[in-house]
């Protein structure tokens, strides 16, 4: 069994960049506690993410993200898989930085399209069903993602264990 890092790791990035898969492996192989923000919010509300967007709107969902990030202060050895839009709010980014190392996962629009096109559980991709439409939103968001990141890790064409090892190496360097 690998040794669990003391520090928290906060994964950010566009939808389909692999945050949940990486968090799951860090949980299974490195025994980190996994905080899957979307899942926690959905469970708290008793509604799916699309239902929360439909009934209460995106701003309401963003408020739930902010409240959850604030609750994570004081925890250790966690990997936090953030919803793709969480770093768009400055307040969220400052909470993330208080919690741990912020790692931005990236992928090309083609990869993101391939990973997300067969699911309908992401309201912000509902009308973006092509690599071009994904690229447009990705470019709008890129400055905020990059400003929030302590480190950037590319995921295209890589196996998840390799990505996890890179993340842990980067997080250790900063300890
Ligand atoms: C969103 C990303 C989703 C989820 C919600 C909004 C976004 O999370 O939080 O649908 O605006 O980027 P994932 O990045 O885990 O898909």
């Amino acid at each position: 069994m690998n040794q669990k890092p003391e520090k928290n790791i906060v994964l950010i990035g566009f939808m389909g960049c692999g945050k949940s898969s990486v968090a799951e492996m860090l949980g299974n192989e490195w025994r980190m506690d996994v905080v899957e923000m979307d899942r926690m919010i959905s469970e708290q509300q008793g509604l799916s993410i699309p239902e929360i967007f439909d009934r209460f709107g995106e701003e309401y969902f963003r408020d739930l993200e902010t409240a959850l990030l604030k609750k994570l202060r004081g925890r250790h050895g966690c990997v936090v898989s953030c919803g793709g839009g969480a770093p768009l709010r400055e307040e969220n980014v400052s909470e993330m930085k208080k919690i741990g190392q912020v790692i931005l996962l990236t992928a090309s629009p083609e990869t993101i399209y391939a990973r997300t096109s067969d699911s309908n559980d992401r309201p912000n991709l509902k009308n973006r069903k092509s690599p071009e439409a994904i690229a447009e939103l990705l470019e709008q968001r890129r400055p905020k993602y990059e400003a929030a990141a302590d480190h950037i890790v590319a995921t295209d064409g890589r196996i998840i264990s390799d990505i996890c090892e890179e993340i842990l190496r980067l997080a250790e360097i900063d300890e």
Side-chain angles (χ1 to χ4, degrees):
M1 186 55 60
N2 295 297
Q3 204 186 338
K4 166 175 165 163
E6 260 312 290
K7 224 175 217 179
N8 296 315
I9 292 173
V10 181
L11 300 176
I12 61 167
F14 199 82
M15 297 162 272
C17 279
K19 301 176 297 272
S20 302
S21 308
V22 166
E24 192 185 336
M25 183 167 256
L26 289 173
N28 290 336
E29 301 289 324
W30 279 269
R31 290 278 170 257
M32 297 188 79
D33 295 329
V34 178
V35 177
E36 182 64 50
M37 286 187 61
D38 281 351
R39 193 186 320 132
M40 284 184 77
I41 289 173
S42 175
E43 281 171 9
Q44 272 167 14
Q45 300 291 304
L47 294 168
S48 69
I49 303 296
E51 282 168 341
I52 299 172
F53 270 66
D54 274 355
R55 291 200 200 174
F56 306 112
E58 183 163 346
E59 274 309 291
Y60 179 84
F61 174 73
R62 302 285 170 219
D63 291 340
L64 297 174
E65 288 185 312
T66 304
L68 176 54
L69 282 167
K70 286 186 174 162
K71 276 201 204 150
L72 297 176
R73 277 193 218 166
R75 295 197 44 183
H76 302 284
C78 292
V79 53
V80 184
S81 171
C82 296
L88 303 178
R89 266 197 190 176
E90 236 168 76
E91 191 183 2
N92 292 354
V93 175
S94 71
E95 286 304 319
M96 290 173 194
K97 300 239 179 235
K98 284 177 198 152
I99 298 168
Q101 285 293 303
V102 181
I103 309 283
L104 170 62
L105 300 184
T106 65
S108 68
E110 290 73 19
T111 300
I112 293 169
Y113 175 70
R115 289 178 185 164
T116 59
S117 58
D118 58 358
S119 111
N120 283 318
D121 56 8
R122 293 179 173 96
N124 285 335
L125 286 185
K126 206 161 90 187
N127 300 317
R128 294 190 177 89
K129 296 280 183 204
S130 68
E132 293 72 26
I134 286 169
E136 195 189 335
L137 184 60
L138 189 56
E139 285 313 311
Q140 273 172 34
R141 290 182 172 191
R142 186 193 300 280
K144 291 207 168 151
Y145 286 149
E146 290 182 353
D150 293 311
H151 298 287
I152 302 179
V153 173
T155 68
D156 281 295
R158 294 177 71 185
I159 57 170
I160 297 170
S161 56
D162 185 33
I163 299 167
C164 290
E165 277 163 20
E166 181 178 352
I167 290 171
L168 291 169
R169 254 196 326 271
L170 290 168
E172 255 172 46
I173 292 168
D174 290 342
E175 262 176 21

